[in-house]
């Protein structure tokens, strides 16, 4: 059975949701960052990590999401098979990995971004991170104008990329002084995903484990 190593509310929530959308049997194992159990499957001590029955391990959220979408074409979660549809999926996957996710690091781990150990310095780093997250939300908000989902023509179609966005939008709600009120299309995407019973099931399972 496919096994997902995850941490509560982390970016691993994205593949967790995708596994639920796919509907094939899987096991979700809750781990602590940097724990022995996690280090045994991922030298970075980070989540998400995916393990297949034969012991094959895959790390990196973007790679895991693409792998799951391709492994289960019947779920229709890849965003499409044409050259441009694939390019769009890669574009947005990279956006979430490199631009959006990275923008949260100074907020979550400000001490990594300054050699000044004072509280004032850390506060400055957090504020810089918040600005960066707002910039990325603005890009996503503009893209979502007239769309229900991130990928696809017209109103679009649900894909693994929406699942990727979900944990990060939830973090933004928590860590930005005004939440995401300035980004109504992002809020609508958050609500659309949160309304899904499969997503609610995953959130409840993560909280209960
Ligand atoms: N580039 C990796 C980053 C994974 C990552 O840093 N995940 C966070 C949770 S959102 C984590 O495990 N942090 C713990 C740590 O780095 O010690 C990916 O996209 O999968």
């Amino acid at each position: 059975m496919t096994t997902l190593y995850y941490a509560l509310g982390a970016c691993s929530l994205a593949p967790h949701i995708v596994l639920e959308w796919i509907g094939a049997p899987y096991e979700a194992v809750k781990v602590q960052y940097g724990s022995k159990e996690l280090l045994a499957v991922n030298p970075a001590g980070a989540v998400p990590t995916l393990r297949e029955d034969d012991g094959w391990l895959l790390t990196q959220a973007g790679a895991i999401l693409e792998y799951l979408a391709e492994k289960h074409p019947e779920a229709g979660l890849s965003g499409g098979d044409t050259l441009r549809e694939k390019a769009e999926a890669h574009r947005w996957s990279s956006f979430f990995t490199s631009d959006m996710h990275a923008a949260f690091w100074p907020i979550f781990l400000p001490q990594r971004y300054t050699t000044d150990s004072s509280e004032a310095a850390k506060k400055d780093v957090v504020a810089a991170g918040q600005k960066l997250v707002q910039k990325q939300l603005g890009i996503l908000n503009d893209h979502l104008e007239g769309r229900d989902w991130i990928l696809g023509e017209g109103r679009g179609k649900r894909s693994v990329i929406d699942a990727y966005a979900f944990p990060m939008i939830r973090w933004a709600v928590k860590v930005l002084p005004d939440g995401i009120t300035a980004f109504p299309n992002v809020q609508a995407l958050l609500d659309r995903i949160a309304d899904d019973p499969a997503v609610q099931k995953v959130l409840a399972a993560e909280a209960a484990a």
Side-chain angles (χ1 to χ4, degrees):
M1 203 189 308
T2 300
T3 302
L4 173 70
Y5 296 86
Y6 76 94
L8 180 65
C11 53
S12 48
L13 180 56
H16 202 169
I17 287 170
V18 166
L19 285 164
E20 197 61 37
W21 281 348
I22 288 168
Y26 70 93
E27 187 186 6
V29 177
K30 193 174 191 170
V31 285
Q32 298 298 323
Y33 298 132
S35 64
K36 253 189 170 177
E37 185 184 17
L38 184 54
L39 284 166
V41 291
N42 182 348
V47 295
T49 299
L50 196 84
R51 184 184 184 282
E52 293 290 30
D53 269 344
D54 60 357
W56 181 66
L57 294 162
L58 185 61
T59 61
Q60 299 296 335
I64 292 171
L65 292 172
E66 183 181 351
Y67 168 73
L68 290 173
E70 296 288 335
K71 186 183 173 198
H72 294 278
E74 74 284 358
L77 293 169
S78 71
D81 292 327
T82 70
L83 184 61
R84 289 191 183 184
E85 285 168 334
K86 283 179 184 224
E88 289 288 343
H90 277 137
R91 175 233 289 259
W92 286 102
S93 182
S94 299
F95 169 80
F96 284 107
T97 302
S98 307
D99 298 350
M100 186 72 92
H101 196 177
F104 284 95
W105 294 131
I107 303 174
F108 292 147
L109 298 162
Q111 68 279 8
R112 278 192 194 167
Y113 296 88
T114 175
T115 50
D116 183 338
S117 57
S118 72
E119 282 310 307
K122 278 190 215 155
K123 253 181 132 177
D124 273 354
V125 172
V126 169
Q130 287 168 332
K131 253 184 130 172
L132 207 49
V133 170
Q134 283 163 337
K135 176 188 171 187
Q136 311 307 345
L137 287 173
I139 291 168
L140 180 60
N141 196 67
D142 289 349
H143 172 73
L144 284 168
E145 189 64 38
R147 296 171 193 264
D148 287 346
W149 307 102
I150 295 170
L151 298 184
E153 292 304 315
R155 309 273 336 155
K157 187 171 177 284
R158 180 176 87 171
S159 74
V160 292
I161 302 298
D162 301 297
Y164 204 1
F166 186 65
M168 299 188 207
I169 302 173
R170 292 176 88 228
W171 301 339
V173 170
K174 283 189 194 153
V175 303
L176 296 180
D178 298 320
I180 58 169
T181 48
F183 310 101
N185 298 328
V186 175
Q187 178 72 59
L189 179 66
L190 178 72
D191 295 343
R192 199 166 288 121
I193 301 171
D195 278 349
D196 182 342
V199 172
Q200 288 163 15
K201 185 179 164 192
V202 169
L203 290 173
E206 287 203 357

